[in-house]
């Protein structure tokens, strides 16, 4: 599809863009998010006339990028975003970076001014070739005389999802006139013989039976995963008689899973029950205490994953380039001694009892909110968890559920686009609950109006602690070096706003809850478009976390 040139006639614009859309449909794409603009009119019309791809109009390009990201994370199928020329294209970058780092397939189509206008400072014209640099898997530019736009579109989809999935950029220069005198009734339909799925390529998978036989093995899993991985991991750990430490997105609801891994790490139990081998899957777990231990423990580690990155901890002796899902699905069963697993389970039960007692309060606290959300969210739904404190609290205090999938933007751990990502997940067809902080909600507030308009099955729970609560746990606050005024101005950032009021002003149903019982009842209700606001105090939140830690240490006799 590479090439240069001018798309000279409106009939040519219509024909080529229609062929491109039909090619995307051939390859199984079903969802496109399009922002308004003039230069992208031929593309917009081609998607609007497609019977195969649902197109959704989204006013804000940044929001549209995250909607597509969420849809692709949920389904595993590339979603498409389309925008006009100029600065509009730059607003996709945050979503592209997250897609790249989390191996999410995404297709970004940017309309462009004619090639000959580049470098002339013509209005709404800039160099859009290779705009996203190393953050995309590949960049293409459409040509004017290409006769294989349909086939090129199929190849673009395969590029996005084959191997290590990721974003692909397609730049489309378009000349006026941009709107035809008449429209075709529909664009080309998907070819009946076209493949809707990428071909499955069998890869030889390593067999670790000899390396792990008669060893005390601890499994650590992190990052994102496909929907089947947690269940497969639990079954594999059961046959291996290995305890599992896993981040919220890949945590099995299985007896081998340690609910209190973060606290076990903080209190030194990872060394008390020291394994012979650590078998790691995917990215780093959410708990800093766990991955700090991995970095320094000196235990033999085997890392299984598909990533452009090497081990960020530089502690794995063996790196196996394999899909974690495929790996655990095809490992032979073990006949393992369960004694080591029993030791882990006993420690986890003891720790769980201490934490459960500390969480029993009628007043909402952030750890209790994380627990309540993971317990009460309806079955057969998805939970999107925002970065900063929510993902950490879900990791430490939340419970695994086999009937609820957890998704988060942990590629680059950003709070931007949180509502839009969750809305994209809901648009892919699954009822979704989002647990996010107030700053994340304000950062993506325009998406509230899109949720009200689209009516997708998304319920947003906002923890409003009037600012950046996570910084209260970090050196900016903890060391006492920075005075209160400077801290509040640059890190605390109080706003004094109600997110429920903001949601209501945008036409979205919203409610405020004051007690844990009210919150639990609201969470258990049907998932529909709306927002629930629960207020906490970020200073008191630090005290709550410290009190839980003190309760655990007292129970262990280490206070």
């Amino acid at each position: 599809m590479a090439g240069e040139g001018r798309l000279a006639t409106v009939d040519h614009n219509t024909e080529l863009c229609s062929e491109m859309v039909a090619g995307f449909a051939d390859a199984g794409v079903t969802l496109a998010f399009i922002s308004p603009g003039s230069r992208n009119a031929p593309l917009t019309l081609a998607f609007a006339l497609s019977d195969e791809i649902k197109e959704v109009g989204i006013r804000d390009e940044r929001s549209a990028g995250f909607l597509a990201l969420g849809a692709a994370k949920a389904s595993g199928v590339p979603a498409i975003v389309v925008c006009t020329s100029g600065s509009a294209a730059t607003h996709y970058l945050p979503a592209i970076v997250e897609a790249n780092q989390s191996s999410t397939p995404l297709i970004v189509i940017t309309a462009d001014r004619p090639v000959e206008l580049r470098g002339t400072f013509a209005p709404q014209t800039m160099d859009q070739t290779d705009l996203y640099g190393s953050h995309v898997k590949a960049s293409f530019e459409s040509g004017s005389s290409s006769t294989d736009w349909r086939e090129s579109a199929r190849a673009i989809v395969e590029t996005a999802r084959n191997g290590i999935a990721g974003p692909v950029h397609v730049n489309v220069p378009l000349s006026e006139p941009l709107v035809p005198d008449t429209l075709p009734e529909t664009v080309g339909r998907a070819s009946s013989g076209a493949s809707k799925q990428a071909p499955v390529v069998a890869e030889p998978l390593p067999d670790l039976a000899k390396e792990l036989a008669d060893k005390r093995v601890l499994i650590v899993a992190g990052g994102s995963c496909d929907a089947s991985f947690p269940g497969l991991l639990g079954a594999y750990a059961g046959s291996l008689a290995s305890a599992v430490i896993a981040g919220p997105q890949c945590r099995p609801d299985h007896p081998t899973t340690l609910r209190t891994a973060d606290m076990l790490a903080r209190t030194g139990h990872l060394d008390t029950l020291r394994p012979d081998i650590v078998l790691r899957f995917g990215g780093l777990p959410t708990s800093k205490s766990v991955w700090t231990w991995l970095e320094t423990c000196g235990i033999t580690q085997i890392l299984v994953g598909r990533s452009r990155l090497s081990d960020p901890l530089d502690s794995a002796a063996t790196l196996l380039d394999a899909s974690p899902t495929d790996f655990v699905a095809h490992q032979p069963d073990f006949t393992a001694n369960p004694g080591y697993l029993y030791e882990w389970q006993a420690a986890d039960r003891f720790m769980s009892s201490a934490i459960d007692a500390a969480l029993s309060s009628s007043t909402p606290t952030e750890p209790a909110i994380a627990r309540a959300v993971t317990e009460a969210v309806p079955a057969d739904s998805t939970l999107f968890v925002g970065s900063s404190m929510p993902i950490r609290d879900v990791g430490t205090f939340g419970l695994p559920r086999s009937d609820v999938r957890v998704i988060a933007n942990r590629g680059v751990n950003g709070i931007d686009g949180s509502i839009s990502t969750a809305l994209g997940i809901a648009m892919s067809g699954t009822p979704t609950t989002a647990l996010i902080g107030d700053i994340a909600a304000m950062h993506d507030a325009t998406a509230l109006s899109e949720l009200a308009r689209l009516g997708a099955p998304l319920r947003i729970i906002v923890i409003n602690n009037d600012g950046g609560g996570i910084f209260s746990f970090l050196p900016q606050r903890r060391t006492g070096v920075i005075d209160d005024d400077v801290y509040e101005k640059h890190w605390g950032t109080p706003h004094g706003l109600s997110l429920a009021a903001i949601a209501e002003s945008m036409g979205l149903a919203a409610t405020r809850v004051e007690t844990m019982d009210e919150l639990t009842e609201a969470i258990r209700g049907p998932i529909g478009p709306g927002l629930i606001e629960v207020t906490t105090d970020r200073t008191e939140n630090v005290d709550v976390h410290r009190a839980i830690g003190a309760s655990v240490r007292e129970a262990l006799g280490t206070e």
Side-chain angles (χ1 to χ4, degrees):
M1 195 166 180
E4 292 186 354
R6 182 186 182 102
L7 303 189
T9 70
V10 65
D11 290 339
H12 202 40
N13 286 346
T14 304
E15 176 188 354
L16 295 183
C17 291
S18 295
E19 283 298 299
M20 178 187 287
V21 170
F24 289 135
D26 286 347
V29 174
T30 60
L31 197 53
F33 299 93
I34 304 172
S35 295
S38 176
R39 189 59 49 174
N40 59 330
L43 289 161
T44 301
L45 290 170
F47 280 104
L49 292 169
S50 172
D51 291 332
E52 310 280 341
I53 298 177
K54 178 182 179 180
E55 103 286 352
V56 182
I58 301 294
R59 290 168 288 235
D60 180 343
E61 285 85 5
R62 187 179 70 172
S63 183
F66 280 102
L67 272 138
L69 175 79
K73 284 194 174 195
S75 68
V77 176
I80 292 175
V81 284
V82 181
C83 72
T84 191
S85 62
S87 64
T90 66
H91 293 277
Y92 288 148
L93 184 59
I96 289 170
V97 171
E98 172 63 28
N100 184 49
Q101 293 291 96
S102 60
S103 301
T104 303
L106 192 68
I107 297 171
V108 179
I109 304 177
T110 56
D112 199 357
R113 307 276 279 184
V115 172
E116 58 269 26
L117 292 181
R118 290 177 190 160
T120 66
F121 295 97
Q124 204 172 326
T125 302
M126 65 182 194
D127 187 353
Q128 296 178 194
T129 58
D130 297 319
L131 180 61
Y132 307 112
S134 61
H135 300 296
V136 293
K137 288 184 70 176
S139 294
F140 300 91
E141 180 159 289
S142 60
S144 62
S145 59
S146 175
T147 58
D148 63 346
W149 277 42
R150 188 167 187 153
E151 183 58 38
S152 295
R154 295 172 186 158
I156 288 164
V157 175
E158 297 309 311
T159 299
R161 65 184 176 189
N162 275 352
I164 301 170
V168 175
H169 175 212
V170 186
N171 193 55
V172 184
L174 293 162
S175 296
E176 296 182 3
L178 300 170
V179 178
D181 294 331
T182 59
L183 290 176
E185 292 184 5
T186 184
V187 303
R189 292 183 176 273
S191 301
S192 58
S195 173
K196 291 283 187 178
Q197 298 294 333
V200 176
V201 179
E203 297 182 6
L205 294 169
D207 181 351
L208 296 182
K210 291 182 180 179
E211 287 87 343
L212 303 182
D214 301 319
K215 297 291 196 305
R216 292 156 57 98
V217 180
L218 176 65
I219 292 175
V220 178
S224 59
C225 65
D226 60 47
S228 65
F229 177 71
L232 291 168
L233 178 61
Y236 176 59
S239 73
L240 191 59
S242 171
V244 175
I245 294 174
Q249 296 185 83
C250 54
R251 184 177 295 170
D253 183 4
H254 191 273
T256 58
T257 298
L258 302 178
R259 287 175 43 184
T260 62
D262 182 60
M263 285 294 183
L264 288 166
R266 292 192 212 179
T267 53
H269 270 69
L270 298 189
D271 280 320
T272 301
L273 298 176
R274 193 173 176 86
D276 301 317
I277 291 178
V278 177
L279 180 57
R280 291 167 52 190
F281 292 99
L284 296 181
T286 304
S287 168
K288 184 176 181 180
S289 298
V290 170
W291 57 257
T292 299
W293 177 80
L294 289 171
E295 191 173 29
T296 59
C297 66
I299 296 171
T300 299
Q301 297 175 35
I302 300 171
L303 174 58
V304 180
R306 301 298 303 268
S307 176
R308 301 176 187 88
L309 307 176
S310 60
D311 175 19
L313 302 180
D314 195 27
S315 60
T318 303
L319 300 175
L320 300 180
D321 183 12
S323 157
T325 300
D326 292 342
F327 178 89
V328 297
H330 294 92
Q331 288 300 297
D333 288 337
F334 284 80
T335 303
N337 186 333
Y340 184 50
L341 174 59
Y342 292 160
E343 293 182 68
W344 277 113
Q345 290 171 326
D348 190 50
R349 283 194 299 270
F350 184 82
M351 196 79 74
S352 294
S353 296
I355 293 174
D356 292 349
L359 290 179
S360 57
S361 171
S362 61
T363 302
T365 66
E366 296 186 25
I369 292 168
R371 170 64 64 83
V373 170
T374 57
E375 280 187 307
V377 68
D380 301 319
S381 67
T382 296
L383 174 62
F384 174 81
V385 185
S387 291
S388 291
M389 287 307 297
I391 191 68
R392 287 168 171 81
D393 283 338
V394 167
T396 302
F397 305 108
L399 301 180
R401 293 269 302 276
S402 60
D403 56 358
V404 174
R405 186 179 180 190
V406 177
I407 296 177
N409 283 344
R410 300 300 287 171
V412 286
N413 301 354
I415 66 168
D416 45 347
S418 297
I419 295 173
S420 296
T421 304
L423 180 53
I425 295 169
M427 293 291 292
S428 74
T430 176
T432 303
T433 298
L435 176 64
I436 63 176
D438 52 331
I439 300 299
M442 292 172 63
H443 205 286
D444 199 22
T446 59
L448 294 171
S449 67
E450 302 290 8
L451 173 56
R453 179 175 62 87
L454 295 170
L458 169 62
R459 175 178 52 206
I460 303 164
I461 301 170
V462 177
I463 301 172
N464 187 349
N465 56 27
D466 196 28
I470 191 171
F471 297 111
S472 298
F473 294 85
L474 301 179
Q476 291 88 341
R477 189 59 163 171
R478 195 178 65 240
T479 59
V481 173
I482 300 170
D483 68 46
D484 289 348
D485 289 343
V486 173
Y487 173 82
E488 284 296 297
K489 180 178 181 180
H490 293 289
W491 289 280
T493 59
H495 51 79
L497 299 173
S498 165
L499 273 300
I502 293 173
E504 289 169 341
S505 74
M506 294 191 176
L508 188 66
T511 185
R512 301 166 185 81
V513 297
E514 304 292 338
T515 68
M516 289 303 301
D517 286 343
E518 289 176 351
L519 176 63
T520 300
E521 183 180 357
I523 297 169
R524 285 179 174 155
I527 296 177
L531 182 143
I532 301 168
E533 181 177 31
V534 55
T535 301
T536 62
D537 184 286
R538 50 191 162 90
T539 300
E540 292 178 1
N541 186 43
V542 177
D543 295 336
V544 167
H545 280 78
R546 287 174 178 165
I548 294 172
S551 297
V552 169
R553 288 190 294 274
E554 182 179 4
L556 293 171
T558 58
E559 185 66 46

